[in-house]
């Protein structure tokens, strides 16, 4: 028998096994966690990647799902922000992970919510709802975002106040971050709104844009395709509705190969 016959076939695209470094539970249905980053794993801030848990007894292969990377591309670890779905095939197990557990990480991060898919501009809007803030958690910690734009407006809309806590703390930490702290002081504006609890700013992002309340609140003129760029991440309905409104302002959807004025999350596709 030749050595080729006995050699174990190694799939070069197989996910790598990483270790959970930290897990934080923010509410009954939201948590974030970080994992080790393999030295060869490169990604652009805003991209997503497939992650999963090793197959359990009776499972043929591990279940993998697309997750936006919440940490910036320069970070040593990889962070994710997730919802807990009690009977969700992956999140029902994922929400129980502990420090030291194994996570599978695919080798190919991809995505459309990247700076390269937008034409240069003055002001960058990041419209998010719920866990849709994850890719922006990556981008607002990346100095390149502030090198490309004079002003960055991150909006985060949730149903209830507790769901804003991850984003509020993230922005607070950014302000004291040695890498981007000084840059964001007069560039990053974080606007939060709620739809199902009393709060200073109430309403869906779509409503806030249509009524002009968003622009009043931010102290800026309404969206202009000459100067403004937009990234959108939330549920499929939120993405479609927000995108339609932005298109009515004259913004066109861009991609890595053909940058334009607007990009939306595509992690749901495929
Ligand atoms: P609402 O409370 O009015 O449904 P979800 O958890 O369902 O993804 O919702 C997160 C946030 O996104 C909620 O504040 C919700 O508002 C809002 N939302 C849901 N659907 C849309 C939509 N089509 N356009 C804009 N915002 C939306």
């Amino acid at each position: 028998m030749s050595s080729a016959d006995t050699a174990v076939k190694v799939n070069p695209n197989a996910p790598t096994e990483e270790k959970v470094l930290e897990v934080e539970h923010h509410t009954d249905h939201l948590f974030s966690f970080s994992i080790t980053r393999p030295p060869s794993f490169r990604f652009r801030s805003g991209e997503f990647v497939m992650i999963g848990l090793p197959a359990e007894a009776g499972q043929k292969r591990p279940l993998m799902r697309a997750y936006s990377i919440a940490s910036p591309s320069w970070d040593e670890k990889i962070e994710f922000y997730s919802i807990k779905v009690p009977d969700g095939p992956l999140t029902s197990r994922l929400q129980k992970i502990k420090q030291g557990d194994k996570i599978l990480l695919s080798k190919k991060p991809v995505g459309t919510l990247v700076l390269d898919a937008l034409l240069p501009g003055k002001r960058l809007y990041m419209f998010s709802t719920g866990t849709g803030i994850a890719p922006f958690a990556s981008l607002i910690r990346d100095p390149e975002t502030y090198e490309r734009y004079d002003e960055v407006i991150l909006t985060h809309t949730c149903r209830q106040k507790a769901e804003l806590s991850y984003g509020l703390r993230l922005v607070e930490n950014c302000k004291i971050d040695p890498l981007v702290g000084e840059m964001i002081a007069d560039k990053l504006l974080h606007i939060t709104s709620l739809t199902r609890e009393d709060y200073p700013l109430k309403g869906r992002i779509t409503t806030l844009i249509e009524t002009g309340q968003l622009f009043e609140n931010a102290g800026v003129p309404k969206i202009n395709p000459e100067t403004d760029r937009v990234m959108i991440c939330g549920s499929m309905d939120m993405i479609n509705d927000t995108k339609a409104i932005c298109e009515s302002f004259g913004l066109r959807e861009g991609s890595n190969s053909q940058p334009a004025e607007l990009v939306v999350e595509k992690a749901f596709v495929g």
Side-chain angles (χ1 to χ4, degrees), residues 29 83 128-131 157-160 163 193-196 203-207 234-242:
H29 59 278
I83 194 159
S128 70
T129 55
T131 53
T157 305
C158 296
R159 297 176 182 203
Q160 285 153 344
E163 298 163 344
S193 78
L194 292 184
T195 50
R196 302 198 190 186
R204 289 183 167 194
I205 188 60
T206 40
T207 312
S235 66
M236 193 75 93
D237 285 347
M238 176 273 184
I239 289 176
N240 290 336
D241 292 350
T242 313

Side-chain angles (χ1 to χ4, degrees), residues 28-244:
D28 287 349
H29 59 278
L30 291 169
F31 72 115
S32 57
F33 57 98
S34 56
I35 63 171
T36 48
R37 176 176 178 170
S40 59
F41 185 84
R42 291 169 62 88
F43 70 100
R44 292 177 297 171
S45 295
E47 284 189 316
F48 66 87
V49 69
M50 305 295 287
I51 60 169
L53 290 167
E56 282 185 321
Q59 274 182 321
K60 272 208 188 110
R61 60 174 76 92
L63 183 66
M64 307 286 287
R65 286 278 186 271
Y67 266 82
S68 289
I69 301 173
S71 43
S73 58
W74 52 261
D75 207 347
E76 278 174 20
K77 56 188 176 4
I78 307 178
E79 181 188 324
F80 301 99
Y81 181 48
S82 176
I83 194 159
K84 306 176 194 176
V85 184
D87 51 359
L90 181 61
T91 69
S92 59
R93 285 178 63 204
L94 200 57
Q95 65 183 278
K96 296 185 193 129
I97 52 165
K98 294 181 304 297
Q99 194 181 12
D101 284 354
K102 279 182 198 156
I103 294 278
L104 302 175
L105 175 75
S106 78
K107 288 186 174 149
K108 279 200 170 167
V110 285
T112 43
L113 291 181
V114 290
L115 296 168
D116 291 341
L118 291 173
L119 293 169
K122 271 176 72 177
R123 183 179 298 121
L124 175 62
Y125 284 97
M126 299 170 173
F127 294 129
S128 70
T129 55
T131 53
I133 194 172
F136 305 137
S138 171
L139 282 156
I140 65 163
R141 289 186 268 185
D142 193 329
E144 206 183 332
T145 305
Y146 307 98
E147 282 158 14
R148 294 204 193 193
Y149 293 94
D150 297 340
E151 203 175 337
V152 177
I153 301 179
L154 166 67
T155 77
H156 191 205
T157 305
C158 296
R159 297 176 182 203
Q160 285 153 344
K161 187 149 188 243
E163 298 163 344
L164 294 176
S165 67
Y166 173 81
L168 289 168
R169 209 183 55 198
L170 170 82
V171 173
E172 280 313 303
N173 287 339
C174 272
K175 288 184 190 160
I176 51 170
D177 184 290
L179 195 62
V180 292
E182 262 179 44
M183 289 175 128
I184 71 164
D186 55 350
K187 283 197 169 188
L188 176 66
L189 186 59
H190 182 207
I191 294 185
T192 51
S193 78
L194 292 184
T195 50
R196 302 198 190 186
E197 249 180 29
D198 266 351
Y199 197 66
L201 187 60
K202 278 206 77 177
R204 289 183 167 194
I205 188 60
T206 40
T207 312
L208 299 176
I209 299 173
E210 281 178 321
T211 59
Q213 216 179 336
L214 171 70
F215 311 117
E216 233 171 79
N217 207 289
V220 296
K222 73 173 177 123
I223 293 174
N224 174 351
E226 296 288 313
T227 50
D228 298 340
R229 304 293 171 256
V230 168
M231 294 179 156
I232 309 171
C233 190
S235 66
M236 193 75 93
D237 285 347
M238 176 273 184
I239 289 176
N240 290 336
D241 292 350
T242 313
K243 181 181 164 191

